[in-house]
Amino acid sequence: MIFELLCKKYVVDILKILKNEDEINLSTIVEKIGTHKSSLSKILKEMEEASLVSKREEPYRNMNKVYFKIDKKGIKLLEYYDLIVELDYANLT
């Protein structure tokens, strides 16, 4: 499941954004990636179910603001991903 998730659009981008932030709200992730909220909501839910990220909701007016942060498993997966990319690049040069 993890490798299938890693191959999905935006997953690596989301992990990289969250790695550089302590905690970030969904709207900011949407802005940084430049896509629709609905596209990211489903991916983030899958990432949360895989324990790559965690979600926190904060009451705001009549709705909740949703914040995400990367979990240890997400950090480790991103490290492995970067290593694979590095090894693949080394083989090309």
Side-chain angles (χ1 to χ4, degrees), residues 5-17 29 33-36 39-40 43-44 47:
L5 186 58
L6 190 60
C7 293
K8 290 189 176 187
K9 192 173 184 178
Y10 304 125
V11 170
V12 172
D13 296 326
I14 292 169
L15 288 173
K16 287 181 179 184
I17 289 168
I29 298 171
I33 291 183
T35 190
H36 298 284
S39 300
L40 292 185
I43 293 290
L44 283 161
M47 293 173 73

Side-chain angles (χ1 to χ4, degrees), residues 9-70:
K9 192 173 184 178
Y10 304 125
V11 170
V12 172
D13 296 326
I14 292 169
L15 288 173
K16 287 181 179 184
I17 289 168
L18 293 176
K19 185 178 178 194
N20 294 322
E21 303 281 343
D22 182 38
E23 186 178 65
I24 189 169
N25 69 23
L26 179 57
S27 299
T28 305
I29 298 171
V30 168
E31 285 176 25
K32 288 184 180 235
I33 291 183
T35 190
H36 298 284
K37 187 176 181 178
S38 59
S39 300
L40 292 185
S41 293
K42 182 180 177 191
I43 293 290
L44 283 161
K45 182 177 181 178
E46 291 179 55
M47 293 173 73
E48 183 183 13
E49 289 171 356
S51 300
L52 301 178
V53 301
S54 56
K55 176 174 90 170
R56 178 179 69 83
E57 294 183 23
E58 183 177 284
Y60 180 74
R61 296 187 183 163
N62 292 336
M63 46 198 263
N64 287 334
K65 276 192 144 186
V66 181
Y67 294 88
F68 290 91
K69 69 178 187 175
I70 194 168

